Every structure is written in C-alpha cells, then in structure tokens.
Amino acid sequence: MTVRRLSTRASFTLAAVALLATALWLGAAIGETAIPLDVVAKTVANRLFHAAYPLDPIDEGIVWSYRLSRVVVAACCGAALSLSGVVLQSLLRNPLADPYVLGISAGASTGAVSVAILGIGGGLVGLPLGAFAGALIAFCLVSLLAWRAGSGAAAIILAGVAGSQLFHALTAFVVTKAANAEQARGIMFWLLGNLSGVRWPDVTLALPAALVGLALCFSQARALDAFAFGRDSAASLGIAVRRTYVLLIGVTAMMTAVMVALVGSIGFVGLVIPHATRMLVGVRHGVLLPASAIVGAVFMILADILSRIIVPGQVLPIGVVTALFGAPAFAVIMSQRRTRL
C-alpha cells in the first residue's frame, strides 16, 4: 500500500471520527433545554477525568445522566442497523434487503415482547436473548417462504413483507391478550422507537454489540465483495460460503436484536444508509462497512435531536422521524439507481 493511499485513508478516518464526535457533542447539547457546548465538554471532563469545573448540578445531570447515554445508544443503533443493511444486501444480492423489510426487526420485537409480557423463560431469559431468538426465527421463516416461492429479488421481498406482517400481528396479539393498559401503552410507544428511557447500563450492552458486529463484519469484507457476484463465484474464490453465510446472518440478527430490545423497531436506517454510503465511497466492503457505520450513527443522532425539538414540549418516537426522512430519501436514491426488482 502506497504512502499516498495510507495518508488518504488516515485523513478519511480522522474526518469520520471528528464528524461522529461533533454529532455526539451536539446531541448532548441540543434539546428542549439548551446546554452550552462548553458545559457539555466540562461535564465529560468532570466525570471521566475528575476535573473540577464548577457547573450547575441540573445542567450537569441533564448532560451526563440523560443526553450523553441517549446519543451514544442512538449512535450504536444507527451503526448496527446500517451494518446489518450492508451485509444483508450483499449476501442476498438485493437492494431492498434490510432487517426491517425482511422481518428480522418484527421477529425481534415479538421475541422481546413475549419475554417482557408473557414471562417466557421464567426470568432466566432477558429481552436481548428473547429478541435474538425472535429475529432468528423470523429470518428462517422468511428464508423458507422465499425458497418455496422461487428465487429472485421479488420472492425474498414478498416473503419478508409476509413475515413482517405475521410477527407484527403476533406482537399485537400478545399485547392485546396479556398486557394491562399501562403495559400496552408503554409497549406500543416502544415499538415506534423510543430512546427516552435509555441510560448508561444500556450503553454497556449497545456499545459492545455494535463494536463486535463491526469487527466481525469487517473481518468478512473480502467475502462480502465476493458474494456481490453470487454464491458460486464466492465459492470459486475460496470463500467458505455456508460458514460465512451463517456467521454474518447471526451477526446481523444479534445486532438487530440488541437494538430492538433497547430502543424498539426503527425502519429505513438499514435500508437507506447503505445506498447513500455507496454513492459516497463506492462498493468495496473494506471501506463501505466502516463508512456505513459512521454515517448511520450520525444519522441516528441527528434524528434523535429532531425528535426532541421538532414538536415543542413533546418528544416524538425516533422511528417516526427516521421514516419521515428515510422514505423520501430512499425514493430519491432508488429513482436515481433505477433499480429493477
């Protein structure tokens, strides 16, 4: 690798890190109660480096206990969903593949709700594990339906729509049948995507899931490049197709399940961000995967900021914001690509 290429890659890496840091900084400062940017920086210094800056306890509490944990989880969620979209679109060779469209998100929601309301597992199974099981079951069902319907992009998308509707119906049935009024309100709001209850213990789950997912996906960047030409081509290049497929599907299911368990079901991130990032950096997965993670993280932070300020005195579910901006953006991208299903 030439010195010039190394210098270019280092410059892009520094720019990406600076962009993400700026988004996190703004996310902690902007809200119904405006916090000066220097107060955010001093709060972080006080908490992490034991500085002794004199700050208003209320402002410091808002920044540290509420907003910083919220924007970190939002960044992890955006990165994980974007990575999942990149991987699924490459493995399935389908530009419409993402955890939401393929029913993985809906299955994770059903699994999490079943654990929370029905008590499946007798308290030994947590929400993330229940969501992971639901995500895997949903993907297996969608894959079976697509296999029975025939090959092609249309088959997998139609199977995903059917699977999504089935698991959404199961979730609604569980909530209607077993939840009390308070549980039902909380679950329905959570299903739209909700970061309001996120705190630092959630960061200890979201951050490792996103980082491990990125590391595993990045380790398979060469295989994903090969999958873009089909399974036969990947096998001819020495890729262990079945093992790679199982590993990457498991990783996407894990990341989706953790994020759904923490913040609910959020659409369009895994669908739009990979396409937008490809237009910026190209299709090589060695660059596309980390770039998609950064772009997805920044997008989710900006969506979270909008959810707090777009309606004065009220916080919108973040899934509503991502859909309001994601759907038109996806329409524009697809019209430019002229993708044919």
Side-chain angles (χ1 to χ4, degrees):
M1 186 177 292
T2 65
V3 175
R4 183 176 181 180
R5 185 176 296 180
L6 283 172
S7 177
T8 301
R9 181 168 293 185
S11 298
F12 276 119
T13 301
L14 289 174
V17 171
L19 178 63
L20 179 59
T22 301
L24 290 168
W25 197 2
L26 292 175
I30 300 174
E32 187 175 354
T33 300
I35 305 292
L37 291 174
D38 67 308
V39 171
V40 175
K42 290 176 181 178
T43 297
V44 174
N46 285 351
R47 296 286 182 151
L48 296 183
F49 306 110
H50 305 290
Y53 292 109
L55 297 174
D56 186 329
I58 295 178
D59 288 346
E60 187 174 4
I62 290 174
V63 170
W64 183 258
S65 301
Y66 175 65
R67 290 188 184 169
L68 273 177
S69 59
R70 178 176 178 136
V71 296
V72 170
V73 172
C76 293
C77 183
L81 293 179
S82 300
L83 287 170
S84 298
V86 171
V87 170
L88 291 173
Q89 288 165 15
S90 178
L91 288 181
L92 303 176
R93 300 181 66 196
N94 191 316
L96 295 182
D98 91 317
Y100 193 86
V101 174
L102 295 185
I104 297 176
S105 181
S109 298
T110 301
V113 168
S114 298
V115 170
I117 294 181
L118 298 181
I120 292 178
L124 300 177
V125 177
L127 284 182
L129 186 58
F132 179 69
L136 284 181
I137 292 171
F139 184 79
C140 290
L141 177 61
V142 168
S143 298
L144 178 61
L145 288 174
W147 176 73
R148 293 296 299 269
S151 60
I156 189 69
I157 294 303
L158 291 175
V161 171
S164 294
Q165 293 302 313
L166 172 63
F167 283 97
H168 283 313
L170 288 174
T171 301
F173 176 78
V174 171
V175 172
T176 303
K177 185 71 175 178
N180 57 41
E182 183 177 353
Q183 285 178 322
R185 284 193 299 270
I187 289 294
M188 296 312 293
F189 189 77
W190 169 75
L191 287 175
L192 292 173
N194 179 23
L195 286 163
S196 296
V198 167
R199 296 296 182 267
W200 284 111
D202 300 303
V203 175
T204 62
L205 185 60
L207 187 58
L211 293 177
V212 170
L214 175 60
L216 291 175
C217 291
F218 188 76
S219 71
Q220 301 299 316
R222 176 176 172 271
L224 287 169
D225 286 337
F227 269 106
F229 299 99
R231 291 193 182 188
D232 293 339
S233 297
S236 68
L237 293 172
I239 304 299
V241 172
R242 181 172 298 180
R243 184 181 65 187
T244 303
Y245 193 84
V246 170
L247 171 65
L248 290 174
I249 290 298
V251 170
T252 58
M254 179 273 294
M255 290 190 292
T256 302
V258 169
M259 300 311 159
V260 167
L262 293 177
V263 304
S265 182
I266 298 174
F268 286 100
V269 178
L271 188 60
V272 174
I273 300 302
H275 289 292
T277 309
R278 284 189 191 94
M279 297 171 65
L280 295 174
V281 302
V283 298
R284 293 184 64 87
H285 287 85
V287 178
L288 178 61
L289 287 167
S292 292
I294 293 293
V295 174
V298 172
F299 174 79
M300 278 292 290
I301 293 172
L302 296 179
D304 180 45
I305 292 173
L306 285 174
S307 74
R308 286 182 253 156
I309 65 175
I310 196 170
V311 178
Q314 183 177 353
V315 178
L316 287 179
I318 194 169
V320 173
V321 178
T322 60
L324 286 174
F325 287 89
F330 184 68
V332 171
I333 291 171
M334 295 305 290
S335 65
Q336 291 179 348
R337 288 172 56 94
R338 298 181 180 179
T339 301
R340 296 168 62 183
L341 296 179

